[in-house]
Amino acid sequence: MCEFLSGIFVQVTKYIVLLVSQENKMFSAVILSVLVAAALASEGAQWKYGETGYGPKDWKKVAAHCSESAQSPINIETSTVNKDSNLKGLRFTCDNKNGMVSGVLVNNGHAPTLAINKPQGTATLTGGPLGDNVYRLQQLHFHFGCDDDKGSEHTVNGEAYFGELHLVTYNTKYPNFATSADKPDGLAVIGVFLQEDDDAGEPSVSLRALSRAMSMIEEAGAHVIMRAFLYDLVPQLRDLSKTSFYSYKGSLTTPPCYQSVNWIVLKKPIAAGERVFEAMRDLHDHEEHSMCNNFRPSRPLNGRTVSEYSG
C-alpha cells in the first residue's frame, strides 16, 4: 500500500520547459508564482543565514522592515499567553476531499518550497483570529537545523523543535499574493513543528514523499513537479476547531520582513524521521553549502499579545 501511495503522492519530472501552449499553462502559472515569491524574498542586497555577509543580524541593511518592532519568529512563553476562547472557529478547507494540491517543489537557495498550482487543488483559511477574511493557500516551505536540537523558527519556553513547516496564505480581498504581501492584513501563516521521537509517531506518507522529491533538487535552482495531500501531511488541518494553537501578529521571517502576517502556530508537532531530515540537510544553497539552519533567531515580543486556543 505504501508503494502505491508513493506513486500517487510524487509525480516528478526533472525539468520543466516553459512553452506558451495549452498543455503547460498550469506549469507556467506555477513557475510565475515561484518567481514572484522569490522576488519578494530577495528584495535588495543578497541575504543569507549565518553570522557573516548579510546574515540575520544585518538584514536591516537588506530591508528596513527587518528592524521594525513586530517581527517574527518569537519565543512563546506559555506562562504569559492569553487564553482566548474566541479563537475557536478557525477553518482550513480544501477544494477536494483528500486535500490534494500540486505544484512545483523548488530549491530556492533558502528553503525547499512547494508553490501551489491553484487549478490543480487549493485550500482556504478563515475564522478564529482572521474573522470573516478568507485566505488562500499560496505555498508551503520548510525550516530545519543542522543538528537535532534546533531548526524551528518559533520556540516554546526557549526550546526549539527539529524543524518547522509553514503554510503561507494570502487574503483574497487582494487580487494576488504579491499585492497582499505588504498589507497589514495581507497574510496568514500556519506554523507546524516537526519532531522526531516516539511520541510523534511515524512520518506521514506525504512528508516522506516530499523528502524523496527533495533528493532531486539538491542544487539551488532545481525544481520538480509533484503532488501532496495536505490532510495526510498535517492531520490537524481536517478540523482546526479541535486543534490547540498560538496566535499573534508578526512578520515574514525573511527579507523584506513585512509586518503583514497573522501567525497561527499549532501546538502539536507532526512526526519527521531521521531520513526526512537527512534529505533536507542534503539540500544546498547558492554557495553550495548545506541549507540547514535556515531559521531566523527569535525576535523581541515588544509588548505584543500571544493568544492561545485549546481545542
Side-chain angles (χ1 to χ4, degrees), residues 12-33:
V12 178
T13 179
K14 188 63 178 177
Y15 302 102
I16 301 174
V17 181
L18 295 180
L19 301 175
V20 182
S21 64
Q22 189 64 36
E23 290 87 349
N24 59 22
K25 279 183 179 178
M26 64 178 183
F27 298 141
S28 299
V30 172
I31 289 293
L32 179 59
S33 70

Side-chain angles (χ1 to χ4, degrees), residues 47-49 54-63 253 255 296:
W47 59 273
K48 58 190 285 187
Y49 293 99
Y54 290 114
K57 291 181 180 179
D58 293 321
W59 283 358
K60 62 184 178 182
K61 299 177 183 178
V62 177
T253 63
R296 187 187 194 187

Side-chain angles (χ1 to χ4, degrees), residues 19 30 37 41 49 65 81 128-129 145 152 171-172 176 179 221 266:
L19 301 175
V30 172
Y49 293 99
H65 296 289
V81 298
S152 64
N171 196 331
T172 56
N176 51 51
T179 304
L266 304 189

Side-chain angles (χ1 to χ4, degrees), residues 59 79 93 148 150 281 296:
W59 283 358
S79 62
T93 306
D148 292 347
K150 59 185 177 182
R281 291 164 181 163
R296 187 187 194 187

